[in-house]
């Protein structure tokens, strides 16, 4: 009789421990945090809402959906575009979601997810400028761009150009309005959105969109597990219609 009692007590204790253990694990899972770095002067991909300063845009919706799919709470941090890769490598953030183009040079420093958006650079000038129509016409001219971007790389490839790299796209665009530069080089969907939103009534784009660039989410080089998890989540969001839903929110019709 005594033996049975001891056995029951032991079993009860084990059961209690099991339940407590499960509870503990669940709590931990709910607190997994994905630290995301962005530079939010890049609407419609990332920007801060007026007033609340809340992060909004295609990339922000996408990374929140990816995080949710992976069971993470997403926390977004604001930093200079040129600080994003150093922050990844220093371990201060886990992912970059910043309309970052996948380039061979960056691939040396970070690991990219599968591409999630196709973009390309374009030139913006003031409407009264009728001499600049292509990259060639920018030779010897003053060009503004955002620091550390592919736009900066393109600007610096123009012979004799005087390039000013700004911390934000807002400043680069303002410099054009103030006639401090002759042109801005930036991503076409961002320039298009800026002009369509009436952000600037005195500017226009010229020439064609330059070669295609693919945006990818970036993780610390060698963090293949996280990259694989992100790719899995992206694939799932494409399959279940969530990606298309987010795409439609920001770009209207879904590009097939
Ligand atoms: N796609 C360009 C690049 O990768 C510009 C990205 C700028 N992004 C931003 N959030 N400001 O260099």
């Amino acid at each position: 009789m005594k033996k049975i009692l001891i056995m029951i007590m032991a079993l009860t204790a084990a059961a209690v421990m099991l339940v407590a253990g499960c509870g503990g694990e669940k709590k931990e899972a709910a607190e997994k945090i994905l630290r995301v770095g962005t530079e939010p002067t890049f609407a419609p991909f990332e920007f801060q809402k007026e007033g609340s300063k809340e992060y909004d845009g295609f990339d922000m919706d996408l990374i929140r959906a990816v995080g949710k799919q992976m069971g993470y709470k997403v926390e977004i941090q604001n930093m200079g575009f040129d600080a994003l890769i150093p922050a990844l490598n220093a371990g201060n953030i886990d992912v970059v979601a910043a309309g970052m183009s996948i380039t061979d040079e960056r691939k040396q420093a970070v690991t990219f997810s599968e591409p999630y958006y196709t973009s390309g650079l374009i030139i913006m000038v003031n409407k009264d400028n009728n001499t600049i129509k292509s990259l060639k016409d920018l030779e010897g001219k003053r060009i503004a761009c955002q620091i550390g971007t592919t736009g900066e790389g393109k600007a610096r490839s123009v012979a004799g150009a005087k390039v000013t790299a700004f911390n934000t796209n807002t400043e680069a665009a303002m410099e054009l309005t103030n006639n401090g530069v002759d042109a801005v080089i930036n991503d076409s969907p961002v320039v298009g959105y800026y002009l369509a939103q009436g952000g600037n009534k005195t500017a226009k784009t010229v020439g064609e969109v330059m070669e295609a660039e693919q945006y990818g989410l970036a993780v610390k080089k060698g963090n293949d597990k996280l990259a694989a998890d992100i790719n899995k989540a992206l694939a799932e969001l494409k399959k279940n219609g969530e990606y298309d839903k987010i795409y439609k929110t920001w770009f209207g019709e879904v590009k097939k």
Side-chain angles (χ1 to χ4, degrees):
M1 187 60 189
K2 217 176 167 189
K3 256 194 196 154
I4 289 175
L5 211 73
I6 287 170
M7 236 164 78
I8 288 174
M9 273 165 68
L11 277 175
T12 311
V16 165
M17 269 159 72
L18 206 73
V19 168
C22 280
E25 243 168 57
K26 251 195 205 143
K27 196 165 164 244
E28 208 173 89
E31 280 171 353
K32 276 204 299 182
I33 288 169
L34 194 65
R35 297 165 305 161
V36 175
T38 198
E39 193 290 315
T41 66
F42 203 65
F45 296 92
E46 42 267 342
F47 59 96
Q48 286 176 288
K49 278 192 195 163
E50 246 171 76
S52 72
K53 296 277 175 220
E54 204 182 301
Y55 295 100
D56 205 1
F58 177 79
D59 287 348
M60 302 295 96
D61 283 353
L62 186 66
I63 195 65
R64 285 187 182 112
V66 163
K68 192 168 169 206
Q69 185 71 33
M70 290 164 51
Y72 283 86
K73 181 172 179 263
V74 168
E75 264 178 26
I76 295 162
Q77 295 180 29
N78 178 351
M79 50 190 82
F81 189 76
D82 59 340
L84 290 166
I85 290 180
L88 263 189
N89 290 330
N92 295 333
I93 53 173
D94 305 306
V95 190
V96 169
M100 186 173 274
S101 303
I102 301 171
T103 67
D104 287 339
E105 198 188 332
R106 288 178 182 152
K107 274 195 211 160
Q108 309 291 316
V110 300
T111 297
F112 281 105
S113 71
E114 291 296 325
Y116 66 84
Y117 186 90
T118 303
S119 185
L121 298 169
I122 199 147
I123 301 168
M124 177 168 73
V125 298
N126 283 323
K127 275 185 183 160
D128 58 9
N129 183 321
N130 293 310
T131 55
I132 297 171
K133 295 194 168 66
S134 68
L135 203 62
K136 184 107 186 73
D137 299 330
L138 287 178
E139 288 180 3
K141 295 283 192 308
R142 302 164 304 165
I143 312 171
C145 53
Q146 183 176 33
I147 195 161
T149 60
T150 50
E152 180 181 9
K154 187 57 84 178
R156 298 214 182 270
S157 76
V158 178
K162 185 181 173 296
V163 178
T164 316
F166 290 91
N167 284 324
T168 65
N169 286 306
T170 318
E171 292 162 286
M174 213 131 71
E175 195 70 357
L176 179 68
T177 306
N178 297 337
N179 281 307
V181 289
D182 304 296
V184 169
I185 301 182
N186 195 2
D187 295 36
S188 167
V190 171
V191 174
Y193 189 83
Y194 169 71
L195 295 176
Q197 293 291 304
N200 189 330
K201 301 218 175 357
T202 55
K204 64 180 178 185
T205 59
V206 288
E208 299 293 311
V209 177
M210 298 175 216
E211 61 275 8
E213 295 184 13
Q214 306 285 343
Y215 294 167
L217 300 167
V219 301
K220 187 172 180 168
K221 191 159 176 73
N223 198 347
D224 296 341
K225 164 85 175 91
L226 184 56
D229 288 349
I230 288 174
N231 283 335
K232 211 174 124 202
L234 274 175
E236 190 52 44
L237 296 175
K238 285 202 170 167
K239 214 169 81 193
N240 71 15
E242 186 68 18
Y243 176 93
D244 282 0
K245 211 173 104 192
I246 297 172
Y247 192 99
K248 266 194 210 147
T249 305
W250 296 103
F251 306 108
E253 270 322 290
V254 176
K255 190 158 65 179
K256 286 292 176 198

